[in-house]
């Protein structure tokens, strides 16, 4: 049950090639993500947490506006999957640039891979408390697509 702001998105079963969910964000600029129907899988994006409803499509990418927290998911209803996401680093600052969420049971219990200015971090969020489980330093180039593959 992932979330992210990126260019392409797909979930596949680990050890198989069946695509459970895919969204290439093909829609007119300004289309709200909540109204977008994915290419494969679930019928709509579900809001888990949101400080405003600003996640829209811009140049075939899901892009957040002014929200400080926005978690939207497509339900795969499947465990042991590989999440693949293409994320574009459009701006760098000391804050989080982007996150991918997996194994989400509710807005307070999930795993997330977050991209910060200095690298990427893996957190386990349990009852709303984030615990760092991994870190790798990385220098990001602006306006560059990066592909992440995360086996959950």
């Amino acid at each position: 049950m992932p979330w992210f702001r990126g260019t392409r998105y797909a979930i596949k079963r680990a050890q198989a090639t069946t695509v459970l969910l895919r969204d290439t964000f093909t829609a007119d600029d300004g289309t709200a993500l909540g109204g977008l129907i994915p290419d494969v899988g679930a019928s709509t994006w579900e809001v888990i947490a949101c400080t405003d409803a600003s996640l829209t499509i811009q140049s075939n990418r899901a892009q957040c506006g002014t929200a400080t927290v926005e978690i939207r998911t497509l339900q795969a209803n499947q465990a042991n999957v590989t999440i693949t996401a293409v994320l574009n680093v459009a701006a760098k600052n000391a804050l989080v640039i982007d996150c991918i969420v997996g194994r989400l049971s509710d807005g307070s219990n999930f795993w997330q891979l977050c991209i910060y200015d200095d690298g990427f971090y893996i957190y386990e969020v349990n009852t709303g408390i984030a615990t760092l489980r991994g870190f790798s330093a990385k220098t990001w180039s602006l306006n560059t697509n990066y592909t992440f593959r995360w086996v959950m």
Side-chain angles (χ1 to χ4, degrees), residues 28-88:
D28 293 335
D29 285 358
T31 299
L33 187 63
L36 187 66
I37 297 172
D39 303 321
V40 175
S43 59
T44 59
W45 285 85
E46 178 183 353
V47 175
I48 302 298
C50 187
T51 57
D52 66 25
S54 63
L55 200 59
T56 61
I57 303 304
Q58 299 297 324
S59 301
N60 293 342
R61 295 182 183 149
Q63 187 174 52
C64 194
T66 59
T68 53
V69 174
E70 185 149 0
I71 300 175
R72 293 180 184 251
T73 106
L74 293 174
Q75 298 292 336
N77 297 317
Q78 179 76 39
N80 305 320
V81 299
T82 299
I83 300 170
T84 302
V86 177
L87 303 177
N88 185 285

Side-chain angles (χ1 to χ4, degrees), residues 1-140:
M1 294 165 244
W3 165 87
F4 72 92
R5 295 172 288 159
T7 305
R8 289 183 293 275
Y9 159 93
I11 296 180
K12 297 181 181 180
R13 293 177 202 242
Q15 308 295 325
T17 58
T18 302
V19 175
L20 301 172
L21 300 170
R22 177 183 295 139
D23 200 338
T24 55
F25 304 109
T26 304
D28 293 335
D29 285 358
T31 299
L33 187 63
L36 187 66
I37 297 172
D39 303 321
V40 175
S43 59
T44 59
W45 285 85
E46 178 183 353
V47 175
I48 302 298
C50 187
T51 57
D52 66 25
S54 63
L55 200 59
T56 61
I57 303 304
Q58 299 297 324
S59 301
N60 293 342
R61 295 182 183 149
Q63 187 174 52
C64 194
T66 59
T68 53
V69 174
E70 185 149 0
I71 300 175
R72 293 180 184 251
T73 106
L74 293 174
Q75 298 292 336
N77 297 317
Q78 179 76 39
N80 305 320
V81 299
T82 299
I83 300 170
T84 302
V86 177
L87 303 177
N88 185 285
V89 178
K92 295 194 301 187
N93 54 45
L95 301 174
V96 64
I97 295 171
D98 234 327
C99 289
I100 301 167
V101 171
R103 293 210 185 261
L104 181 138
S105 56
D106 58 40
S108 298
N109 297 283
F110 52 88
W111 285 78
Q112 64 183 14
L113 182 147
C114 290
I115 300 169
Y116 286 84
D117 192 37
D118 62 346
F120 62 91
Y121 296 69
I122 295 176
Y123 293 97
E124 177 184 9
V125 179
N126 190 346
T127 62
I129 299 169
T131 302
L132 180 65
R133 298 296 186 195
F135 166 76
S136 182
K138 171 73 176 155
T139 301
W140 310 104

